[in-house]
Amino acid sequence: MTAFSAPKGVPDYFPPTSATFLAVRDTLLGSARRAGYGYIELPVFEDTALFARGVGESTDVVTKEMYTFTDRGGRSITLRPEGTAGVMRAVIEHGLDKGQLPLKLAYAGQFFRAEQPQSGRYRQFHQVGVEAVGVDDPALDAEVIAVADEAFREMGLTGYRLELTSLGDSSDRPAYRERLQAFLAKLPLDDETRRRAGINPLRVLDDKRPEVRAMVEDAPLMRDHLSDASRAHYEQVKGYLDDLGVKFVENPRMVRGLDYYTKTCFEFVHDGLGAQSAIGGGGRYDGLMEQLGGQPLSGVGFGLGVDRSLLACQVEGVQPGDVSRCDVYGVPLGEAAKSRLVALSAPLRAAGVRYDLAYGGKGLKGAMKGADRSGARYALVLGERDIEAGVVQLKELATGDQREVPLVDVVISVREALGR
Ligand code: HAM
């Protein structure tokens, strides 16, 4: 019988890498928590129409990448390709916007896009996101960006940059769109690109083909056609970023893959990741709530890629968190020693010490190998003679240094040795 493999384009995380995965996710969530974002847990599938209307009918995400199926009740259901639309749905459904604003929410979980798999691009991926709803204050845009930047720095990452732009709003965007379409109409573009220019001309600015890039080099840019209000908003966001000490570069050609963005847009780009270099992105989406049937409230947020942040840590050789499975590992020599070391599990773990021991009667050599592999700092080695003397050997694995501690004091001695 052939064994099963995971579906194409889906990552598995197991020890030791899974410990880094959790550390990356928790660092991102921790940064949001420190800025007052409350946690929201949402379903991984929603009504298909929510994404069609929220993300945009003409986006690649909606036209090509959604996992959509009909459930047993004949409803069209889609595995969530992103988080913002679902958060807005929950905010509207539960009236979360009736309390104090801004409403600040954070989430983490799996998202699904049927993309062509490649390094850093998966069909199931993990994001940590935040959304701040109901206050159009440029300081809030800067806060959202700073929360992401702080988390990346806390992980130890340095090889990334923050790219920033403004996409204008409903008052200045239509005129710019017409201007860009008029420019594109004069170019000798192929039929498919011409069709794209008709639906979403901004996408043509993001075309990766060198011949198209050359043609759109002099295309008008939104940044140069912002209304006074949009420009003032953008300048204030940049000012607050300076106040927060967050470095950025402007990229007026940035094109986000989702249609709901207005004004501030940003991406965190890592140079060591090849083609899939965005470790996170986000922006403001002032019309989305109303479009989904809610109040006309503004919003700003981000989605950070946990998988790609993990890859970035590997590329830079930085290790967020602790990959060891345990702090202390028990090495019993004989049955009596084993029952003593088993009995120590409860008091050690209750004292917050991560404790594991050699199961399966491995003998000294096998048990010491287990201790090394566990990543523990200390082994507790216990033999017949130690039991008689009421002691246990506390061995530091990195140095081999060993000292006797009284069995009755073992929890205190272990905690002292670990510096806790
Ligand atoms: P997004 O730019 O589509 O934004 O995705 C955010 C991040 O998710 C990307 O920068 C990337 O790190 C990660 N990501 C996206 N697709 C994949 C994939 N196929 N494989 C691995 N990682 C991936 C959003 O999703 C918006 N909802 C963000 C947002 C929140 N904007 C405002 N609020």
Side-chain angles (χ1 to χ4, degrees):
M1 242 193 301
T2 48
F4 289 107
S5 16
K8 194 174 164 201
V10 171
D12 287 320
Y13 294 106
F14 40 85
T17 313
S18 50
T20 315
F21 177 89
L22 280 183
V24 167
R25 188 195 65 185
D26 293 348
T27 305
L28 297 171
L29 269 177
S31 183
R33 202 173 301 127
R34 286 198 298 276
Y37 289 78
Y39 186 72
I40 184 165
E41 177 73 32
L42 293 174
V44 294
F45 57 84
E46 299 263 9
D47 188 333
T48 301
L50 172 69
F51 300 117
R53 214 189 309 161
V55 173
E57 304 268 10
S58 74
T59 57
D60 280 357
V61 170
V62 169
T63 55
K64 301 187 208 156
E65 296 170 1
M66 295 210 300
Y67 283 98
T68 298
F69 60 96
T70 306
D71 76 1
R72 285 164 197 267
R75 291 165 285 253
S76 181
I77 293 291
T78 293
L79 299 185
R80 60 183 182 186
E82 64 96 48
T84 313
V87 173
M88 291 308 115
R89 193 268 307 145
V91 168
I92 297 166
E93 183 173 344
H94 305 293
L96 305 181
D97 52 342
K98 304 276 159 49
Q100 201 190 339
L101 299 176
L103 170 68
K104 294 165 76 170
L105 297 169
Y107 52 91
Q110 286 88 347
F111 295 86
F112 307 86
R113 295 183 193 174
E115 297 194 78
Q116 203 45 51
Q118 65 181 82
S119 171
R121 186 160 74 191
Y122 306 116
R123 290 182 170 173
Q124 174 180 309
F125 56 98
H126 211 99
Q127 272 187 14
V128 168
V130 303
E131 313 294 348
V133 177
V135 174
D136 182 5
D137 182 342
L140 204 48
D141 304 42
E143 172 185 278
V144 162
I145 293 171
V147 164
D149 188 57
E150 259 166 48
F152 290 136
R153 271 191 287 146
E154 192 183 335
M155 279 175 218
L157 292 177
T158 54
Y160 68 90
R161 66 182 177 278
L162 164 63
E163 296 189 351
L164 189 70
T165 195
S166 172
L167 290 183
D169 61 20
S170 53
S171 76
D172 45 21
R173 203 128 56 134
Y176 166 70
R177 188 185 149 98
E178 267 175 38
R179 193 186 289 263
L180 179 58
Q181 275 173 330
F183 173 88
L184 295 173
K186 290 193 212 119
L187 301 178
L189 298 168
D190 59 90
D191 289 348
E192 172 56 25
T193 313
R194 206 167 276 289
R195 201 185 60 81
R196 257 198 299 157
I199 299 169
N200 188 344
L202 269 179
R203 293 262 152 71
V204 183
L205 295 186
D206 192 39
D207 201 303
K208 300 284 181 285
R209 291 170 295 177
E211 64 278 16
V212 180
R213 277 185 168 225
M215 279 193 267
V216 298
E217 188 145 354
D218 299 326
L221 297 172
M222 183 71 236
R223 191 191 56 181
D224 303 325
H225 299 277
L226 292 173
S227 64
D228 290 346
S230 293
R231 169 156 306 285
H233 193 282
Y234 185 44
E235 292 305 321
Q236 287 183 61
V237 172
K238 290 192 281 183
Y240 283 118
L241 286 175
D242 288 339
D243 293 341
L244 286 159
V246 176
K247 294 205 168 47
F248 59 89
V249 292
E250 291 184 69
N251 175 6
R253 288 172 175 270
M254 184 192 307
V255 178
R256 304 274 299 130
L258 314 160
D259 272 356
Y260 46 62
Y261 289 111
T262 55
K263 298 183 191 153
T264 314
C265 268
F266 59 88
E267 258 176 4
F268 287 88
V269 181
H270 197 282
D271 286 326
L273 294 186
Q276 303 307 315
S277 58
I279 52 175
R284 185 162 273 290
Y285 45 87
D286 287 349
L288 182 60
M289 271 263 300
E290 194 174 16
Q291 206 172 325
L292 295 176
Q295 307 185 64
L297 289 181
S298 63
V300 60
F302 65 55
L304 309 179
V306 176
D307 313 80
R308 287 189 198 166
S309 302
L310 167 63
L311 288 174
C313 288
Q314 290 170 340
V315 165
E316 288 198 33
V318 296
Q319 179 57 63
D322 181 359
V323 285
S324 65
R325 281 199 299 112
C326 58
D327 303 310
V328 176
Y329 195 91
V331 176
L333 307 173
E335 259 316 302
K338 184 173 171 191
S339 59
R340 291 296 187 103
L341 287 180
V342 166
L344 274 181
S345 304
L348 279 172
R349 290 173 189 163
V353 175
R354 297 177 305 156
Y355 175 65
D356 192 8
L357 68 151
Y359 290 103
K362 288 198 179 69
L364 180 62
K365 216 167 143 203
M368 286 310 293
K369 204 186 250 178
D372 280 332
R373 285 192 180 153
S374 74
R377 268 178 68 192
Y378 290 94
L380 283 174
V381 186
L382 189 66
E384 299 283 321
R385 246 180 288 149
D386 296 315
I387 297 175
E388 276 163 29
V391 297
V392 58
Q393 308 297 324
L394 181 64
K395 183 176 175 119
E396 185 169 14
L397 289 162
T399 57
D401 291 348
Q402 183 169 316
R403 67 190 164 88
E404 261 178 30
V405 300
L407 259 174
V408 286
D409 290 341
V410 67
V411 174
I412 296 167
S413 306
V414 162
R415 287 185 66 171
E416 265 173 21
L418 291 170
R420 292 183 190 161

